[in-house]
Amino acid sequence: MVKRSTRLAVIGATALGLLVGFSGCEREARRFAAAPRPPDARAQAESLSQQQAGPAGPGMREAAAAGGYAEDNAYTLAQGKLYYRWFNCVGCHAQGGGGIGPALMDASWIYGKEPGDVFTTIMDGRPNGMPSFRGRLPEQQAWQLVAYVRSLSGLVSGDAATNRGDTLAGGQPEYLRDPLPPEDKKR
Amino acid sequence: MAAHDYSNTRYSPLGEITAANIDKMQPAWTFSTSVDRGHEGVPIVADDTLFIVTPFPNRVIAFDVSKPGATIKWTFEPKPDRGAQGVACCDVVNRGAVYNDGRLFFDTIDNQVIALDAANGKEIWRVRLGSFTSGQSMTMSPLVVKGQVLVGNSGAAFGVRGFIAAIDAGKGRETWRAWSTGPDKDVHIGQGFSPFYAADRGTDLGVSTWPPDGWKTGGGTVDGWLSYDAELDLVFHGTGRPAPRNPLQRPGSNKWTSTLFARRPATGDAVWAYQMSPNDRHGYDGSNENVLVELPLAGRQRKLLMHPDGNGHIYVIDRASGELVSADPFVFVSTSQGVDRATGALAYRAAQPPPAGRVVRDSCPGSAGAKNWQPGAWSPRTRLLYLPVQNLCEDTAFFAASQIAGTPYLGAEAKMHPHRGEARGAFIAWDPIARRKVWSIAERFPVWSGALATAGDLVFYGTMDGWLKAVDARNGRELWKYKAVSGIVGQPMSYRGGDGHQYVAVLAGVGGWAGLIVSNALDARDGTAAGGFVNAMKDLPKVTGKGGMLYVFRIP
């Protein structure tokens, strides 16, 4: 009975061109953005500014909520994964294990793990070496990047997180990630 | 100077400590640097004073070694911009200061070169040679030649354009700067330039061997060691890898990256150049040390330069002409099949680099090279070159990198692993006349420290799991070891104290590219972390922790 009604609903939705049947499934709730482009090499050649910045204020966190920031969303996370590579985040933070910059796949967050904190870190930079990307990256794309960065340590739903990428795999794909306290990393 | 002498031998003529008495050697004094990143520096001693430069924040400390206890004479805080930590590819290291004529010269991570009065630590001048926001940093140990301080930049991983510059030691004014890429004028290639091999001859090769404008962000930094031959009046230095790391984005030989240069110290003019790894696909770099020796070869005494390169070959070169005498692999090499003596060309095994996205397995050596920054030592008594090496291969995949100033310009991901499950490091003795390895000591981790040879026929090196070891220079037999507070990636040295006795000093404090997993608390679950080095170092945090400590040993 249940099975049958579900099937009927799907058929009905498809026939009518409505997506009502999927309204409860965030994985399919795509937010359509302008076609993404890789950063232009020459236009980006000027220096990134390095700014002193504090943690995100409450206003920033409210903006995240009000702006419709939704991180349990496969499209958002896939876009974020693309920008993570295009904007060279991967060069310092690797696939979350870090390098020049700190690891992003553990439970340790120097400047805060809330979406607003991560947004501020990306856009304004941090004083110990994180450059500011303000002016290089539209805010909507920055929020997609925020969602992806949080997915590196398993802070978003595994249903929406990206699978292994089309590259050399460093470790577990994002959808299987689980943060560990820093002291447990030395297993 | 860091390398003991202009020839970069790291050979101490002190012979009080020998195989017969070293079993009694113990710490005379120690000092905590209060810095916990990679200590790749070296203590230097002059005027009964021992000087060290710490990793960022590049604090300089002078100790009075004329009396027991080694009290601190002075401390100097250069206060570099902390934002520069974000462009230091391979930990926030500093490889040491240089003393000359009552002054101490060193560079800071944010591209300042500073001169201090060695007697009191007062600043005499400082000059800034670029901005870290472009991706440039400074980590190398300068050399003073004929009243000029020679320094070079770091940051090939960030797509900076490499250079070596000369600064008037008295006034702190830049007198010349020779770039590693670009038009001949910028590279200081002119009338007197006469490279030995045809591949290095031509006009403006620093432009024409790149895609349009590629040379402007092409790397080739001068972040390694400088040596000088007063008789020939030539300075020798290597240049770093090209940028980006992805070779598909820079078709061409990419001159003058991964190249050896001989230059006139007064003008910077190039006399010869020899590119070891054209289009350096594997990121082997050419910055390793050049050790100057005179050896009898085929019946005559020759002025030679020995260069153990990242690509796995030890190059022996006639340092007056740039002619290759021999090039032999000193570790397992799979990426190339030797160097052609007639043309000087490295024979890559694959005709082309792999297409983007394809993972190439088991490239040996990996991108850290057969040997990285860690300098070897030469003993004129044994006529052996002692080399700290790593035995690592790599799986690599390329992708298109975006050029955004101040961010890494790589386009490659990698995972390193030991060659066929063997030990990850070794300390080897190489005979350049017989062209063979005489002995080798296997080490669990890459040997990331420098080497020291002494007239007592001892050789010293440190290990990443924290041992300072002394071995017999002739056969490699272990004679003594001491477990330090943290892994050793510094450069051991020896000096005569105020009491007339021989001392051995070294900085402990694990870090550097190989030790970032500890010094920057990286996550071992991602093998691509730290450019793939983490994949080979997952167990390092189990055996050592952070810590910066100066150790000074003697026989009581």
Side-chain angles (χ1 to χ4, degrees):
Chain A
M1 188 69 187
V2 174
K3 261 187 181 173
R4 199 176 160 205
S5 66
T6 306
R7 198 182 307 132
L8 282 173
V10 171
I11 293 165
T14 308
L16 293 168
L18 294 172
L19 294 171
V20 177
F22 294 107
S23 62
C25 181
E26 279 198 80
R27 193 179 168 89
E28 299 300 328
R30 286 184 66 160
R31 277 158 222 277
F32 294 99
R37 284 172 311 217
D40 175 56
R42 296 305 147 203
Q44 300 284 1
E46 57 200 281
S47 303
L48 296 179
S49 63
Q50 302 272 340
Q51 300 174 7
Q52 307 270 328
M60 186 63 76
R61 291 179 187 178
E62 284 154 19
Y69 171 77
E71 62 187 7
D72 288 339
N73 177 302
Y75 174 72
T76 292
L77 292 163
Q79 290 297 99
K81 184 168 184 166
L82 197 62
Y83 303 142
Y84 186 80
R85 196 158 288 262
W86 283 359
F87 287 91
N88 294 338
C89 312
V90 69
C92 284
H93 301 284
Q95 293 174 20
I100 298 161
L104 300 176
M105 68 197 291
D106 58 28
S108 166
W109 292 82
I110 300 169
Y111 302 110
K113 69 177 175 186
E114 296 307 317
D117 296 329
V118 180
F119 182 87
T120 304
T121 298
I122 293 168
M123 294 306 249
D124 294 341
R126 297 292 183 182
N128 283 310
M130 174 70 194
S132 157
F133 285 81
R134 191 174 294 285
R136 317 276 158 199
L137 184 68
E139 288 207 356
Q140 188 192 1
Q141 294 177 4
W143 285 115
Q144 291 171 329
L145 195 45
V146 167
Y148 178 69
V149 166
R150 283 168 51 82
S151 79
L152 288 171
S153 56
L155 289 174
V156 306
S157 163
D159 293 339
T162 47
N163 208 316
R164 75 160 280 189
D166 193 15
T167 180
L168 186 68
Q172 293 274 49
E174 295 84 351
Y175 82 101
L176 292 175
R177 295 239 176 132
D178 203 12
L180 282 178
E183 60 269 23
D184 286 354
K185 277 193 323 202
K186 294 175 186 173
R187 290 174 303 167
Chain B
M1 61 191 82
H4 183 269
D5 47 52
Y6 278 139
S7 296
N8 274 233
T9 63
R10 297 177 183 270
Y11 170 77
S12 166
L14 301 175
E16 181 189 353
I17 302 172
T18 65
N21 59 14
I22 191 163
D23 58 314
K24 299 187 195 72
M25 193 163 93
Q26 62 186 55
W29 56 280
T30 57
F31 178 81
S32 167
T33 64
S34 308
V35 180
D36 63 5
R37 298 295 291 257
H39 284 60
E40 289 185 355
V42 61
I44 59 171
V45 175
D47 298 342
D48 274 339
T49 309
L50 183 149
F51 308 91
I52 58 168
V53 184
T54 70
F56 174 85
N58 301 141
R59 186 177 297 125
V60 187
I61 309 164
F63 302 88
D64 179 357
V65 294
S66 68
K67 295 184 284 290
T71 50
I72 295 176
K73 284 173 85 169
W74 51 260
T75 299
F76 178 81
E77 298 277 358
K79 296 191 169 61
D81 193 316
R82 57 188 176 146
Q85 293 172 91
V87 296
C89 77
C90 310
D91 207 355
V92 292
V93 301
N94 184 286
R95 287 165 188 164
V98 59
Y99 171 93
N100 185 264
D101 197 17
R103 292 181 177 193
L104 194 74
F105 306 91
F106 70 105
D107 48 54
T108 62
I109 192 168
D110 65 343
N111 305 300
Q112 300 185 74
V113 184
I114 301 177
L116 302 178
D117 183 330
N120 55 28
K122 293 277 185 292
E123 182 177 319
I124 298 169
W125 52 256
R126 70 166 76 198
V127 56
R128 191 182 289 276
L129 300 184
S131 166
F132 76 85
T133 56
S134 69
Q136 180 183 297
S137 57
M138 279 189 178
T139 53
M140 57 89 77
S141 185
L143 194 69
V144 180
V145 176
K146 295 165 92 177
Q148 297 196 104
V149 185
L150 304 181
V151 289
N153 60 353
S154 300
F158 284 73
V160 312
R161 188 183 173 203
F163 68 77
I164 176 172
I167 300 161
D168 182 284
K171 303 191 187 86
R173 276 203 292 264
E174 189 175 326
T175 47
W176 55 261
R177 184 183 295 209
W179 299 91
S180 301
T181 66
D184 284 351
K185 185 167 72 66
D186 292 10
V187 188
H188 283 231
I189 285 176
Q191 289 296 317
F193 184 61
S194 147
F196 195 86
Y197 295 102
D200 298 311
R201 292 186 212 133
T203 304
D204 291 334
L205 294 180
V207 174
S208 63
T209 58
W210 291 89
D213 287 348
W215 56 272
K216 291 179 180 171
T217 52
T221 47
V222 184
D223 48 42
W225 303 100
L226 310 175
S227 33
Y228 175 61
D229 180 337
E231 202 177 299
L232 294 173
D233 194 33
L234 288 176
V235 168
F236 303 94
H237 72 87
T239 62
R241 58 165 69 160
R245 169 79 179 78
N246 176 0
L248 304 166
Q249 285 178 272
R250 45 177 174 82
S253 62
N254 309 141
K255 291 198 173 6
W256 301 90
T257 60
S258 302
T259 297
L260 278 187
F261 271 105
R263 296 184 183 277
R264 296 282 175 217
T267 58
D269 290 350
V271 172
W272 59 260
Y274 170 51
Q275 189 176 36
M276 291 151 299
S277 301
N279 185 243
D280 194 351
R281 295 177 196 172
H282 305 278
Y284 287 145
D285 209 286
S287 315
N288 288 356
E289 72 278 15
N290 300 299
V291 183
L292 312 185
V293 291
E294 287 181 36
L295 289 177
L297 282 184
R300 67 188 172 107
Q301 198 76 3
R302 296 188 69 173
K303 289 170 82 75
L304 303 169
L305 167 163
M306 297 185 292
H307 172 83
D309 195 73
N311 71 19
H313 296 87
I314 176 160
Y315 291 77
V316 178
I317 290 173
D318 181 316
R319 66 180 186 261
S321 67
E323 180 191 7
L324 188 61
V325 173
S326 62
D328 301 291
F330 61 99
V331 297
F332 175 75
V333 176
S334 74
T335 52
S336 63
Q337 341 182 49
V339 180
D340 184 346
R341 279 278 310 280
T343 62
L346 178 71
Y348 286 116
R349 202 169 286 269
Q352 296 292 327
R358 179 185 294 169
V359 178
V360 175
R361 309 274 175 197
D362 257 341
S363 296
C364 312
S367 57
K371 193 182 138 310
N372 199 270
W373 78 280
Q374 65 270 42
W378 165 261
S379 169
R381 289 172 55 88
T382 60
R383 285 187 176 175
L384 295 175
L385 183 65
Y386 302 97
L387 296 175
V389 304
Q390 52 262 6
N391 195 24
L392 298 177
C393 305
E394 183 180 283
D395 298 346
T396 320
F398 299 124
F399 62 91
S402 320
Q403 207 284 319
I404 307 172
T407 69
Y409 190 33
L410 296 170
E413 279 172 298
K415 287 198 287 191
M416 298 181 203
H417 55 86
H419 171 56
R420 297 206 180 129
E422 293 170 12
R424 283 162 279 181
F427 189 75
I428 68 172
W430 183 269
D431 181 338
I433 299 174
R435 296 166 59 185
R436 67 182 181 93
K437 203 183 285 181
V438 177
W439 50 257
S440 176
I441 303 166
E443 289 288 349
R444 179 176 173 188
F445 296 102
V447 183
W448 207 254
S449 83
L452 163 71
T454 72
D457 285 342
L458 301 173
V459 188
F460 293 84
Y461 68 98
T463 68
M464 293 189 75
D465 50 354
W467 294 100
L468 179 66
K469 295 186 177 180
V471 302
D472 188 312
R474 298 189 185 276
N475 54 29
R477 189 165 56 93
E478 186 177 293
L479 299 171
W480 175 91
K481 64 180 174 179
Y482 180 88
K483 186 76 185 271
V485 66
S486 172
I488 297 174
V489 296
Q491 308 159 52
M493 60 82 68
S494 187
Y495 69 92
R496 189 191 301 275
D499 57 4
H501 289 292
Q502 182 182 1
Y503 289 75
V504 172
V506 71
L507 284 162
V510 83
W513 187 8
L516 268 176
I517 185 170
V518 173
S519 64
N520 205 20
L522 306 186
D523 199 309
R525 292 173 295 166
D526 175 8
T528 64
F533 224 133
V534 160
N535 199 55
M537 305 299 291
K538 291 185 174 183
D539 51 342
L540 187 65
K542 289 184 203 158
V543 299
T544 192
K546 296 183 190 186
M549 184 83 90
L550 169 66
Y551 288 90
V552 179
F553 300 90
R554 68 155 177 215
I555 293 171

